[in-house]
Amino acid sequence: QVQLVESGGGVVQPEGSLRLSCAASGFMFRTYAMHWVRQAPGKGLEWVAVIVYDGSQKYYGDSVKGRFTVSRDNSKKTLYLEMNKLRVEDTAVYYCVKEERRGSHYYFDEWGQGTLVTVSS
Amino acid sequence: DIQMTQSPSYLSASVGDRVTITCRASQSVRTYVSWFQQIPGRAPKLLIYAASSLRSGVPSRFIGDGSETEFTLSISSLQPEDFATYYCQQSYSTPYTFGQGTKVDIK
């Protein structure tokens, strides 16, 4: 079965950096686009970034553009999120999400359990 | 960016009730809408994609409908395990925005 396991979360000071990882198994990772979605404590869901199957295209939400970088290593079946210049408002649970495609539709069919990032001095 | 506005933000209902949640897009998203259920402390779970397609394994009491700018998620007969927060999301264009969520609570 599909498994997405995030790691790398923790406590970091404002302006600091952190790298999240997501280890994938149970599906052909190299053929799927992957996303990061976050959720601040007690708040709703916010889409963060997407990377296409081969890493050739990446898109970001406005709140993280220029500070976060999504990447992937298909040989290791691993997705990454490099987060720089972190702000208090980046505090959230970060989810790794698999994108499924059916015809012209694409949707988020599998989610990891999430990893908590806390930005605090 | 496309805004997704859910209503209501909160609803209280009893087991067996039919409930409907509405999601309005700020511009047409055709049928590129998904619905997710989230139980506290857990990751979101996909229920509906392409506005009305039921994900395999999801009970048939979950019904999605709509197109262009107006979408609904109905639960035909609320079960105890359905008390959760529900989110709509558009995948028509980046950023793939979510609604603010609807919490369904036990009356």
Side-chain angles (χ1 to χ4, degrees), chain A residues 77-96:
Chain A
K77 298 182 184 179
T78 302
L79 175 72
Y80 302 100
L81 186 67
E82 186 77 37
M83 303 185 294
N84 297 314
K85 297 182 179 179
L86 282 159
R87 304 168 180 166
V88 170
E89 54 266 33
D90 294 319
T91 295
V93 173
Y94 285 74
Y95 294 103
C96 164

Side-chain angles (χ1 to χ4, degrees), chain B residues 17-38:
Chain B
D17 284 353
R18 179 182 179 94
V19 300
T20 298
I21 300 166
T22 298
C23 184
R24 288 188 172 87
S26 59
Q27 65 186 75
S28 174
V29 294
R30 295 168 61 182
T31 56
Y32 288 78
V33 167
S34 301
W35 290 94
F36 300 89
Q37 177 194 64
Q38 188 177 33

Side-chain angles (χ1 to χ4, degrees), chain A residues 26-44:
Chain A
F27 66 104
M28 205 170 294
F29 179 74
R30 67 177 187 272
T31 65
Y32 288 89
M34 297 293 295
H35 298 251
W36 288 98
V37 174
R38 69 183 181 182
Q39 186 170 36
K43 302 296 183 182

Side-chain angles (χ1 to χ4, degrees), chain B residues 35-52:
Chain B
W35 290 94
F36 300 89
Q37 177 194 64
Q38 188 177 33
I39 291 164
R42 305 285 295 273
K45 172 186 158 184
L46 176 69
L47 300 174
I48 300 284
Y49 64 95
S52 61

